[in-house]
């Protein structure tokens, strides 16, 4: 088989959002490093500001192709600094641009490990899309040079982002926003934080956040409200059927050692949800979180949703974090119509373990998917563990009686799938499936009541290529072998080979005798185009002399 190569795939790197935030904060870090390495008087001159601009651009140059350019820098680097014409680009072009960014800050808190920003304003900020970068050649086992927890050392007094434009490639429709916010100490010794986001284009939409937090045991007060009309950004991002209007409310108050809040979400006639959240966190960051949520499908919910949820979907999730940083799922479950899923697991640094159990008894979803079908019972177990970059796992599935249509079904099914790391990026997949009491019409009877399917392949999640190195389906009177390279994202089937052995043609309807082998070799089937080579050997026609080694169509083209 000729070696095939996948189509070039440009995908966002793992941890991309962390990198985007990192680039933003690293600009400030680069500024402070530059201040530490240069004379203050020199930096107050135009030559000093030009040197600072070039130093920060060079410091933030990324070997994967992300680059920062700055038009000019004005003002005092020790109090109020203005940056003009800021651009972030990847090999495909500019993806983030700002005409003006102004930073007013005070170095007085640096000795306490804090970066105190008095005011941050931006004008004509455009975020077109996420950067497009080649896959990261090394596993992302940590946060790199930028740690998200550093953000807790930043204090921003006032925020004003005017004329923020989000590109269609980012949020599904071109959107214009204004973001304002502030944080200030109140008379109650609590820190009060406010953030408001409002659309400034033709479509209304808003989000407001208010929070107040004081020293222990002062309570945390939280209020979040978000709303958008039908056809809004969030509905598009979530791909909600009908793009309904959305309304979200979260309110809570209490000490961090025993905080309680309530959530309510309304998507019009599509779905509604409400529930309760609790938190208990100590000064060391250890503690627990929990969420209980009830989801009610509305009259506009798709039939499959209604069949899966029933009258109400119940969600119970919980997590704990210990002093060593390990996060553990507490008993968590999701319950729908005729089924329940249980979750458990833990995460610590780059290692994890997770288990999923699913039990179903005559779930209505089966009949909704396949009218007339039924499933007596289903038991699924999925386990995964290892490093986040190189997981290994196993899935086992067993069922009771299955009826697909009249005359098609099985008394039971058993399925087992395993995944183990092949190298830094690829996984070795293995599958075995065995039905019991299989009933098929027509020529399907050649498989018998208990055929066995065994398959082994290689999956590359970065290039989205599945290489089926070996697959064998063995039945009573037939064997099918296959090896193929598949590109699931594009539907492309590369060169491969399928061989069907029929050792006893008498088992077929039509009066044939003898034996036959059918070989099919597809070549680069992309969409509806490509070439298929078919060979039929060793067939005999009933009642005739037959041919010892006849051949069928050779080199025919598929439409």
């Amino acid at each position: 088989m000729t070696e095939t190569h996948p189509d070039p795939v440009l995908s966002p790197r793992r941890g991309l959002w962390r990198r985007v935030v990192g680039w933003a904060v690293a600009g400030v870090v680069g500024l402070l490093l530059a201040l530490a390495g240069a004379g203050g008087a020199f930096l107050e001159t135009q030559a000093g500001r030009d040197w600072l601009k070039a130093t920060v651009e060079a410091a933030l140059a990324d070997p994967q192709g992300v680059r920062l350019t700055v038009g000019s820098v004005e003002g005092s680097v020790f109090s109020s600094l203005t940056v003009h014409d800021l651009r972030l680009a990847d090999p495909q072009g500019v993806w983030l641009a700002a005409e003006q960014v102004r930073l007013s800050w005070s170095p007085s808190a640096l000795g306490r490990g804090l970066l105190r920003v008095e005011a941050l304003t931006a004008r004509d900020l455009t975020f077109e899309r996420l950067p497009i970068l080649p896959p990261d050649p090394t596993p992302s086992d940590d946060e790199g040079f930028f740690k998200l927890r550093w953000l807790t050392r930043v204090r921003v007094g006032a925020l004003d982002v005017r004329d923020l434009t989000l590109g269609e490639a980012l949020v599904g429709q071109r959107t214009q926003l204004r973001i304002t916010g502030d944080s200030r100490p109140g008379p109650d010794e609590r820190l009060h934080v406010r953030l408001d986001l409002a659309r400034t284009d033709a479509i209304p939409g808003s989000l407001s956040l208010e929070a107040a937090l004081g020293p222990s045991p002062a309570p945390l007060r939280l209020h979040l409200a978000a709303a958008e009309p039908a056809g809004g950004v969030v509905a598009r991002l979530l791909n909600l059927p009908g793009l309904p209007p959305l309304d979200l409310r979260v309110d809570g108050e209490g000490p961090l050692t025993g905080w309680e809040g309530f959530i309510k979400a309304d998507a019009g006639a599509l779905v509604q949800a409400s529930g309760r959240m609790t938190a208990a966190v100590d000064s060391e960051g250890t503690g627990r979180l929990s969420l209980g949520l009830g989801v009610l499908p509305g009259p506009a919910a798709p039939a499959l949703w209604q069949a899966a949820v029933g009258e109400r979907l119940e969600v119970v999730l919980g997590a704990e974090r210990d002093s060593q940083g390990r996060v553990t799922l507490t008993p968590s479950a999701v319950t729908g119509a005729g089924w329940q899923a249980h979750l458990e697991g833990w995460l610590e640094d780059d290692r994890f373990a997770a288990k999923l159990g699913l039990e179903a008894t005559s779930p209505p979803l089966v009949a909704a998917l396949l009218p007339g079908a039924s499933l007596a019972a289903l038991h699924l177990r999925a386990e995964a563990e290892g490093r986040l970059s190189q997981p290994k796992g196993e899935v086992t599935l067993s069922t009771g009686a299955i009826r697909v249509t009249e005359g098609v079904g099985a008394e039971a099914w058993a399925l087992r799938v395993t995944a183990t790391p092949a190298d830094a990026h690829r996984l070795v997949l293995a599958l075995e499936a065995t039905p019991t009491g299989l009933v098929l019409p027509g020529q399907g009877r050649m498989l018998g009541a208990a055929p066995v399917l065994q398959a082994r392949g290689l999956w590359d999640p970065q290039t989205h290529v599945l290489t089926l190195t070996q697959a064998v389906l063995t039945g009573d009177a037939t064997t099918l072998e296959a090896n193929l390279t598949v590109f699931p994202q594009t539907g492309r089937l590369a060169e491969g080979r399928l061989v069907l052995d029929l050792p006893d043609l008498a088992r077929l309807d039509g009066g044939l005798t003898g034996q036959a082998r059918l070989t099919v070799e597809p070549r680069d089937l992309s969409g509806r185009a490509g070439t298929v080579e078919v060979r039929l050997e060793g067939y005999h026609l009933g009642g005739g002399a037959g041919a010892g080694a006849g051949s069928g169509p050779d080199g025919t083209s598929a439409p």
Side-chain angles (χ1 to χ4, degrees), residues 496-531:
R497 181 183 176 91
L498 294 94
V499 178
L500 176 65
D501 278 319
L502 301 169
D504 184 6
L505 292 179
R507 299 286 294 270
L508 291 171
D509 295 334
L512 297 177
T513 60
Q515 61 185 18
R517 167 172 287 190
L518 177 68
T519 303
V520 180
E521 295 186 355
R523 298 177 183 174
D524 196 14
L525 297 184
S526 179
R528 300 179 61 184
T531 301

Side-chain angles (χ1 to χ4, degrees), residues 16-269:
L16 181 55
W17 279 108
R18 180 183 292 125
R19 290 175 57 83
V20 171
V21 176
W23 286 320
V25 177
V28 178
V29 175
L31 171 64
L32 298 177
L33 292 176
L35 291 176
F42 172 67
L43 290 175
E44 293 296 285
T45 67
Q46 187 58 49
R49 287 187 287 268
D50 290 342
W51 172 86
L52 177 62
K53 163 184 161 323
T55 300
V56 173
E57 287 179 345
L60 298 185
D62 189 283
Q64 293 295 325
V66 170
R67 61 188 185 278
L68 169 71
T69 59
V70 175
S72 62
V73 179
E74 297 177 351
S76 170
V77 295
F78 296 106
S79 57
S80 181
L81 191 68
T82 302
V83 176
H84 296 276
D85 195 20
L86 182 148
R87 300 284 187 271
L88 273 170
D90 59 18
Q92 307 301 311
V94 175
W95 53 272
L96 179 65
E99 294 301 316
Q100 183 187 89
V101 178
R102 177 173 294 173
L103 174 71
S104 298
W105 74 292
S106 172
S108 61
L110 290 178
R112 303 195 305 272
L114 293 176
L115 173 61
R116 187 179 301 281
V117 178
E118 297 173 356
L120 177 62
T121 63
R123 179 168 57 83
D124 293 330
L125 178 64
T126 302
F127 197 168
E128 287 289 353
R129 55 175 174 82
L130 291 175
I132 300 175
L133 299 171
D136 192 348
T138 59
S140 179
D141 292 338
D142 54 41
E143 297 172 300
F145 77 95
F146 174 71
K147 308 293 184 181
L148 288 181
R149 61 178 176 270
W150 290 357
L151 293 178
T152 63
R153 312 304 296 172
V154 179
R155 300 288 186 268
V156 179
L159 173 69
D160 190 355
V161 180
R162 303 180 182 180
D163 304 320
L164 169 61
T165 300
L166 303 179
E168 182 177 357
L170 188 68
V171 295
Q173 62 178 197
R174 199 160 189 82
T175 304
Q176 292 181 318
L177 308 166
R178 181 174 183 179
I179 301 176
T180 59
D182 59 64
S183 62
R184 53 183 173 77
D188 54 2
E189 297 186 353
R190 291 194 293 180
L191 178 66
H192 292 254
V193 178
R194 177 188 60 86
L195 181 67
D196 292 307
L197 181 152
R199 292 191 64 163
T200 57
D201 47 20
I203 302 177
S206 64
L207 180 147
S208 65
L209 170 67
E210 296 180 5
L213 175 63
S216 181
L220 166 68
R221 178 175 57 83
L222 176 67
H223 171 72
L224 172 67
E228 68 172 6
V233 170
V234 177
R236 292 179 184 274
L237 289 175
L238 298 177
N239 197 27
L240 295 179
L243 303 179
L246 297 177
D247 188 273
L248 173 67
R249 296 287 186 272
V250 179
D251 288 283
E253 187 165 359
L256 288 180
T257 53
W259 186 85
E260 183 178 35
F262 297 90
I263 181 172
K264 183 177 181 180
D266 190 334

Side-chain angles (χ1 to χ4, degrees), residues 472-483:
V472 181
L473 174 62
T474 305
D476 281 355
T478 183
T479 301
L480 175 65
E481 299 182 17
N483 56 79

Side-chain angles (χ1 to χ4, degrees), residues 337-360:
W339 62 272
Q340 185 175 64
H342 296 272
L343 307 169
E344 60 180 281
W346 57 265
L347 172 66
E348 183 176 3
D349 297 327
D350 67 332
R351 306 196 68 85
F352 81 104
K355 294 182 180 181
L356 166 67
L358 177 65
E359 308 289 336

Side-chain angles (χ1 to χ4, degrees), residues 9 75 181 232 262 302 327 335 344 358 374 395 417 514 517 529 543:
V9 176
F262 297 90
V327 177
T335 305
E344 60 180 281
L358 177 65
S374 64
V395 177
V417 179
R517 167 172 287 190

Side-chain angles (χ1 to χ4, degrees), residues 209-515:
L209 170 67
E210 296 180 5
L213 175 63
S216 181
L220 166 68
R221 178 175 57 83
L222 176 67
H223 171 72
L224 172 67
E228 68 172 6
V233 170
V234 177
R236 292 179 184 274
L237 289 175
L238 298 177
N239 197 27
L240 295 179
L243 303 179
L246 297 177
D247 188 273
L248 173 67
R249 296 287 186 272
V250 179
D251 288 283
E253 187 165 359
L256 288 180
T257 53
W259 186 85
E260 183 178 35
F262 297 90
I263 181 172
K264 183 177 181 180
D266 190 334
L270 182 67
V271 66
Q272 295 182 346
S274 60
R276 174 176 173 267
M277 303 176 295
T278 64
V281 183
D282 61 24
S283 59
E284 301 298 324
T286 63
R288 63 183 184 275
L289 300 172
S290 67
L291 169 66
L293 198 65
V295 181
L296 304 176
L304 290 181
W305 286 26
Q306 298 190 34
V309 172
E311 295 184 358
R312 182 182 176 92
L313 182 74
E314 294 287 348
V315 180
V316 178
L317 300 176
E320 294 180 346
R321 185 180 188 273
D322 63 20
S323 58
Q324 304 302 314
R326 172 178 287 204
V327 177
T328 303
L329 279 178
T330 55
S332 300
V334 181
T335 305
W339 62 272
Q340 185 175 64
H342 296 272
L343 307 169
E344 60 180 281
W346 57 265
L347 172 66
E348 183 176 3
D349 297 327
D350 67 332
R351 306 196 68 85
F352 81 104
K355 294 182 180 181
L356 166 67
L358 177 65
E359 308 289 336
T361 304
S362 301
L365 180 60
V366 173
L369 289 169
L370 295 172
S374 64
L375 172 64
L378 179 145
H379 307 276
L380 181 143
R381 293 289 181 272
E383 298 185 10
E385 63 179 6
R387 300 171 66 92
L388 291 173
S389 57
Q390 292 182 294
K392 60 180 180 180
E394 178 178 287
V395 177
T396 59
L397 172 71
S398 62
T399 74
I402 299 176
R403 179 183 183 275
V404 180
T405 61
E406 186 66 33
V408 178
E411 295 176 1
W413 272 87
L415 172 71
R416 180 173 181 265
V417 179
T418 61
T420 54
D423 50 37
H425 300 294
R426 297 180 299 171
L427 292 173
V428 175
L429 302 180
L431 175 148
E432 182 172 348
T434 307
T436 302
L438 181 65
V439 177
L440 293 173
Q443 310 300 348
R445 293 193 299 270
M446 298 186 66
L447 290 175
V452 176
L453 171 63
Q454 294 177 312
R456 188 176 178 86
L458 202 61
W459 167 245
D460 189 332
Q462 291 196 343
T463 58
H464 305 285
V465 176
L466 173 64
T467 303
L468 196 62
T469 55
Q470 183 183 24
V472 181
L473 174 62
T474 305
D476 281 355
T478 183
T479 301
L480 175 65
E481 299 182 17
N483 56 79
L484 299 166
T485 300
V486 184
F487 302 91
Q489 278 196 330
T490 61
R492 176 184 164 195
L493 181 66
E495 290 184 340
R497 181 183 176 91
L498 294 94
V499 178
L500 176 65
D501 278 319
L502 301 169
D504 184 6
L505 292 179
R507 299 286 294 270
L508 291 171
D509 295 334
L512 297 177
T513 60
Q515 61 185 18

